[in-house]
Amino acid sequence: MKTNRYIVIALLLSIFVSSCEDGFLKQDPQTSLSSEQVFEKPENVQAFVYGLYYQWRATRVNRKGFYTILGTDETQQGEYQVRTNAMQAAFDKYDGYYDSENTSIAEAWNIRWPVAVQASEGLWHIDRLLKSASADEAEQYKVFLGQISFYRACILFELTQYWGKLPLPNIVDGQNQLGPRKELQEVYKMITDDLKVSLTYLSEKRAADGRIPTIWAAKMLLAKVYMSAPVESGYRDFGEAQILLEDLKSRGGFVLENNYADLFDANKVMGNLPSQASTEEIFTFYFNNVWPDSNEAQWYAGTRACSGDPNCMYGGYDFVLPTDYCVNIYEPGDLRKDASIRSDFIYKGKQPVPSAGFGEDQLKPHFKKFEDVRIDGTKSFYYTGGNMYYFRYADALLMLAECMNETGNTSGAVTLVNTTVRSRAFGGTVPAQYVWDTGMSAEEFRTKILDERMRELACEGWRRMDLVRTGHFEEYIKVRNRWQALAPTIGTQHRLFPVPMVEIKQNPHLQGDQNPGLN
């Protein structure tokens, strides 16, 4: 029997990481299974599904976890990083290195595309098994069908948001067949079809293991799809998104954390078990501070000025920093600023000194959300391992408010934001001067909700998509991003990443099919 390397990699990755994680599935190592053998036993299939989760989670690890969120009006690279790595710098500079030969952009593609292929191969095998399964077996396989469909929808959504048209996976006899990029209508059809499968087979109730998605995660993603799909795809629909989000709000059982800072305190939300979860997480990437299960995020988000002490939880290498606009967007009394942004770097009673030659922004504000208090004074900041949210309830509420505004209920949208997300931000009561006016226009609400999304979701991965879908990508980045303000080069063509040359060389159907305006 032919061994499929993607199937085996997914299974072995699950086994390897699971063996390191308390409370996670344990498996005995199996190193020679064919793809057909993987799907002979339900326990192997679950391990394969976990493997998909780990592969997708890897897109949030180390500097690769930040590539797709750089270069916005919210995030920018530190001076030394821009000065010494032209490929990375292109994410902010939008210069001649923003092209198909860019190795950093290729990394962002290469870490995602195999997940789409693996998921597609898994779905092919499950469809095959369902044809001869008993009733009990069929129920088990349908559960896996819902999970794998969710993962494929998520990764395809990311890929199409960043690269536009895609060469959709096409599995024949268990193997992916290379093909041309498909039009957006076909791409979004596959995504929404996958999510409809997930809505059929996923449970409303959170499983004991939080890595298993629920119907609410699928509804959240489908709402994002309807809000973010390019108009020309035919899938932009605020009304449909609103229906999904209203259901999530009324029946999902999610509650905002009382204290915003608790969302990022690794001592309070630290694992995949229900007792360890935040009340507002809808879907989360779980990590811990033991290699290989750490995410290394602080290594890239922290300041080099504190890196002389490797066990300082503020330390890092200035890779992703907040823009001045992001730092200054918070109103006085908004508790989210102190939880999101670090401006004070005094450590053990001493003010750190910037490292000579590594940029003048080492003691400028840095993102704070990735600091892991568990490692402070005991482990290197390389080992940070706090949870990283994909979907959380505050985002769902802001999305719902946006949909309400777009469907003619601006006053209701304002009230929703005032009484939930903004109320929590100010400790329970919004000061009178910062209460949003229910009489504002729909256009004013569109401006305010984008700012509110930055305050609430800073550096959580949604800003680029928000700017593209609302049409403010070039306008805001040009003046708010440090590197663009110095030398504006950004244009509409930069809303998408260039298709990597390495992928074009592997797939002859892609030759001559680059995103418009890019090389």
Side-chain angles (χ1 to χ4, degrees):
M1 289 183 288
K2 190 180 296 183
T3 298
N4 185 301
R5 66 186 181 93
Y6 284 143
I7 295 287
V8 175
I9 287 171
L11 177 62
L12 295 182
L13 182 61
S14 173
I15 293 168
F16 174 62
V17 180
S18 294
S19 67
C20 306
E21 297 182 69
D22 292 338
F24 278 7
L25 176 72
K26 299 295 189 293
Q27 293 281 341
D28 294 326
Q30 304 174 61
T31 58
S32 59
L33 295 181
S34 70
S35 55
E36 288 81 2
Q37 289 171 321
V38 168
F39 287 90
E40 280 182 357
K41 297 180 180 180
E43 57 266 32
N44 288 348
V45 181
Q46 184 63 77
F48 167 79
V49 175
Y50 283 140
L52 290 179
Y53 172 87
Y54 290 125
Q55 291 277 71
W56 181 30
R57 191 188 68 163
T59 66
R60 269 63 181 175
V61 174
N62 61 51
R63 72 178 62 228
K64 291 190 290 291
F66 292 117
Y67 282 158
T68 56
I69 69 173
L70 293 171
T72 69
D73 62 340
E74 178 183 273
T75 58
Q76 61 194 17
Q77 292 169 74
E79 179 185 331
Y80 181 76
Q81 297 284 349
V82 165
R83 178 157 40 93
T84 58
N85 191 322
M87 296 296 181
Q88 283 179 185
F91 284 113
D92 281 284
K93 298 181 82 172
Y94 295 100
D95 57 10
Y97 287 96
Y98 194 93
D99 65 6
S100 61
E101 300 283 359
N102 187 298
T103 54
S104 295
I105 292 175
E107 279 188 277
W109 169 273
N110 290 339
I111 202 171
R112 287 172 171 81
W113 178 247
V115 185
V117 175
Q118 288 171 215
S120 299
E121 291 166 348
L123 292 174
W124 183 88
H125 280 283
I126 289 179
D127 284 341
R128 173 178 61 84
L129 291 169
L130 281 171
K131 293 175 182 176
S132 58
S134 67
D136 288 343
E137 289 172 335
E139 288 306 307
Q140 287 183 294
Y141 286 128
K142 286 175 181 177
V143 171
F144 299 136
L145 193 63
Q147 294 177 48
I148 298 173
S149 295
F150 173 77
Y151 289 135
R152 185 171 74 170
C154 288
I155 207 71
L156 287 177
F157 177 66
E158 291 182 14
L159 285 164
T160 189
Q161 284 286 298
Y162 298 138
W163 280 276
K165 296 188 296 181
L166 300 175
L168 294 175
N170 177 31
I171 310 302
V172 177
D173 294 330
Q175 301 292 315
N176 185 46
Q177 306 298 305
L178 298 178
R181 293 204 294 169
K182 303 297 185 182
E183 296 299 325
L184 292 177
Q185 183 177 11
E186 193 167 344
V187 173
Y188 279 94
K189 182 180 186 305
M190 177 174 278
I191 294 171
T192 55
D193 285 350
D194 277 348
L195 290 172
K196 289 171 184 176
V197 171
S198 296
L199 292 175
T200 301
Y201 297 121
L202 292 180
S203 173
E204 292 187 0
K205 184 178 179 181
R206 178 189 166 105
D209 188 332
R211 293 172 295 178
I212 298 175
T214 64
I215 193 173
W216 307 113
K219 289 195 174 195
M220 180 81 166
L221 178 59
L222 188 52
K224 277 196 180 287
V225 168
Y226 286 138
M227 294 175 68
S228 303
V231 174
E232 60 268 29
S233 72
Y235 282 86
R236 178 75 67 95
D237 194 325
F238 285 99
E240 288 296 322
Q242 182 173 339
I243 292 170
L244 293 162
L245 293 166
E246 285 177 339
D247 188 37
L248 186 153
K249 179 177 180 291
S250 64
R251 297 197 305 115
F254 301 99
V255 179
L256 293 179
E257 291 283 351
N258 288 328
N259 181 10
Y260 181 83
D262 287 351
L263 288 162
F264 310 101
D265 186 337
N267 277 329
K268 295 182 178 177
V269 287
M270 66 176 74
N272 68 307
L273 302 177
S275 61
Q276 301 166 327
S278 164
T279 60
E280 69 178 88
E281 66 177 59
I282 297 173
F283 194 77
T284 301
F285 297 109
Y286 298 104
F287 296 91
N288 63 49
N289 58 3
V290 179
W291 191 89
D293 205 39
S294 54
N295 55 43
E296 306 159 30
Q298 184 62 27
W299 186 270
Y300 299 97
T303 173
R304 189 180 292 268
C306 290
S307 62
D309 184 338
N311 298 334
C312 171
M313 69 178 186
Y314 318 158
Y317 294 109
D318 310 305
F319 180 51
V320 56
L321 276 67
T323 62
D324 287 347
Y325 188 84
C326 181
V327 171
N328 297 319
I329 198 172
Y330 299 90
E331 296 140 325
D334 189 333
L335 301 174
R336 294 173 297 188
K337 181 173 185 177
D338 185 58
S340 302
I341 309 290
R342 176 170 292 284
S343 299
D344 179 0
F345 299 95
I346 293 174
Y347 188 66
K348 295 182 178 178
K350 296 181 180 180
Q351 175 67 37
V353 177
S355 299
F358 288 97
E360 53 81 27
D361 47 14
Q362 295 174 57
L363 293 181
K364 288 189 175 181
H366 283 56
F367 286 112
K368 187 178 179 181
K369 290 181 174 180
F370 308 105
E371 293 176 0
D372 190 340
V373 68
R374 296 171 299 175
I375 60 97
D376 195 39
T378 63
K379 284 187 174 185
S380 165
F381 46 81
Y382 174 85
Y383 293 102
T384 50
N387 294 343
M388 299 181 79
Y389 300 105
Y390 192 58
F391 297 139
R392 59 185 178 89
Y393 187 47
D395 188 6
L397 292 171
L398 293 175
M399 290 165 59
L400 175 56
E402 191 172 342
C403 290
M404 292 168 68
N405 181 60
E406 296 302 325
T407 55
N409 186 8
T410 302
S411 63
V414 170
T415 299
L416 177 61
V417 177
N418 276 336
T419 58
T420 57
V421 175
R422 284 182 63 76
S423 177
R424 193 260 300 270
F426 288 95
T429 303
V430 184
Q433 65 269 37
Y434 299 127
V435 174
W436 288 6
D437 182 1
T438 56
M440 73 172 66
S441 68
E443 188 57 38
E444 184 180 359
F445 184 89
R446 293 185 186 108
T447 300
K448 283 184 170 293
I449 199 68
L450 268 183
D451 281 351
E452 192 65 16
R453 287 184 63 78
M454 184 185 289
R455 296 184 189 102
E456 180 66 31
L457 303 167
C459 208
E460 294 184 40
W462 298 112
R463 190 63 181 181
R464 183 185 181 98
M465 292 186 194
D466 285 346
L467 293 179
V468 170
R469 69 183 176 80
T470 58
H472 293 294
F473 183 75
E474 311 91 69
E475 174 193 358
Y476 287 176
I477 294 173
K478 188 178 294 185
V479 296
R480 296 174 180 174
N481 181 289
R482 173 186 179 184
W483 306 111
Q484 280 303 296
L486 285 173
T489 54
I490 194 169
T492 57
Q493 71 274 22
H494 297 120
R495 295 182 181 187
L496 296 175
F497 293 136
V499 178
M501 183 56 66
V502 64
E503 189 68 20
I504 293 172
K505 289 179 178 179
Q506 291 177 0
N507 185 349
H509 298 279
L510 302 185
Q511 293 177 13
D513 184 13
Q514 184 54 270
N515 283 323
L518 300 175
N519 297 317

